[in-house]
Amino acid sequence: MEIYSAPKGWLGFEQNVLARLEFKSVAIPFTSDPAIAVALKRRGARVSTNDMLQSAYTRSVAYVQNGSEVLSEEDVNEILNDVYVPGHKLRNPALKNWFAEIDCWWFDNIRTNLDRLGSPFKFALGADLVFQVGEYVRSFDEETRELRQPLSSVFRRLWLAMPSPVNNGQNNSCHNVNTDDFIAEATGDLMFLRLPVSGIGGGGFTPDAVWREEWLRGGNSFWADLNAQRAGKLGSQVETKSQYLNMLAETLTRAGHLKTWAIAHVENTFVSTQELVESIGKLRKVEAIYSKDFSELTGTKAVMITA
């Protein structure tokens, strides 16, 4: 499981609900995918995102904080320069856990090339293209591998399809800090909180999230420190329902200075919507509960609670 995993169609549901609220600025403590942040940016809101994964943070930098920069053809040529040329040994041997050897060299070399770009926004844009190439690679198995296109060709095709940057005239910001620290320092009219997946053992990451993080950080030795930073906080592994609800209450208490809360939840059998409403109601009045049934497609129900 990932920190937050939304069913297909959830983005439209989120946008529909948030369009009913009045706000000029929004803080998003968990931003595994920047799509809703970009949608709110287009609406004209000042957006502040956060995620403890550097890969998720990097994606937000590319599309939320960046308001004007794009990758030129010269940038792409620099990024793809000699990416298939093998060296003495891989700089990041953790790539072997995710990709075939020839692909490892491509991902290893392109990571080095990205560091040569002179702009953090261009780095972030290039990194997101690499994430997409990785998803492409991992969509094939041994039987379909021969249908794959060369990875550099896929990179160029994805680059040509990149959306234009959005400049909404706001000072949008992205953060890569502890969730509680982000909330405590956040300013804005609205906190949009996507609740981490609940359930015993919940709080891990999908394989795609793991390989992206290990590729970006250049290895896998960081996980123990990262999990230690998350321990005991919303988003970490839980053993009981009460533990999860206590973590949620602690997080929401830190958000008391934010005028409005919009809390998104994927309903399951571990924590019900009613239990969440009761927990939230102990801290402030629940204004509305919205839901959309995705059970035919994904077996889940989308819920948004405003308070």
Side-chain angles (χ1 to χ4, degrees), residues 34-147:
I36 189 63
V38 174
L40 297 177
K41 181 182 176 183
R42 291 182 182 277
R43 175 175 161 174
R46 175 171 56 82
V47 180
S48 178
T49 68
N50 180 65
D51 204 277
M52 289 191 69
L53 290 183
Q54 290 183 11
S55 51
Y57 160 76
T58 298
R59 295 183 71 197
S60 290
V61 169
Y63 300 109
V64 178
Q65 191 168 346
N66 177 31
S68 61
E69 293 197 32
V70 298
L71 290 175
S72 67
E73 186 168 1
E74 290 81 3
D75 294 326
V76 172
N77 290 337
E78 176 70 18
I79 293 170
L80 296 176
N81 183 47
D82 290 337
V83 285
Y84 275 117
V85 177
H88 175 62
K89 64 178 181 179
L90 289 170
R91 301 174 188 84
N92 182 359
L95 292 171
K96 294 179 181 179
N97 297 327
W98 307 103
F99 304 106
E101 183 175 358
I102 189 171
D103 296 333
C104 286
W105 285 113
W106 190 92
F107 284 98
D108 204 40
N109 290 330
I110 206 168
R111 177 64 183 84
T112 300
N113 290 351
L114 283 174
D115 282 334
R116 297 174 182 152
L117 299 177
S119 160
F121 295 133
K122 290 189 176 185
F123 175 93
L125 290 166
D128 186 56
L129 289 176
V130 175
F131 296 154
Q132 295 178 60
V133 173
E135 291 175 8
Y136 172 83
V137 172
R138 288 170 50 77
S139 70
F140 293 88
D141 56 26
E142 290 300 322
E143 294 182 358
T144 59
R145 182 181 172 85
E146 63 182 19
L147 302 176

Side-chain angles (χ1 to χ4, degrees), residues 1-4 30 52 179-180 193-199 201-205 226-227 229-238 243-248 251:
M1 287 184 292
E2 194 167 11
I3 279 293
Y4 174 80
F30 294 107
M52 289 191 69
T179 303
D180 286 348
L193 176 64
R194 283 172 167 163
L195 289 183
V197 174
S198 59
F205 300 100
L226 180 62
N227 288 329
Q229 293 175 41
R230 298 169 58 224
K233 301 183 184 300
L234 189 65
S236 62
Q237 184 170 322
V238 298
Q243 185 183 18
Y244 181 87
L245 292 174
N246 286 338
M247 288 179 181
L248 173 61
T251 296

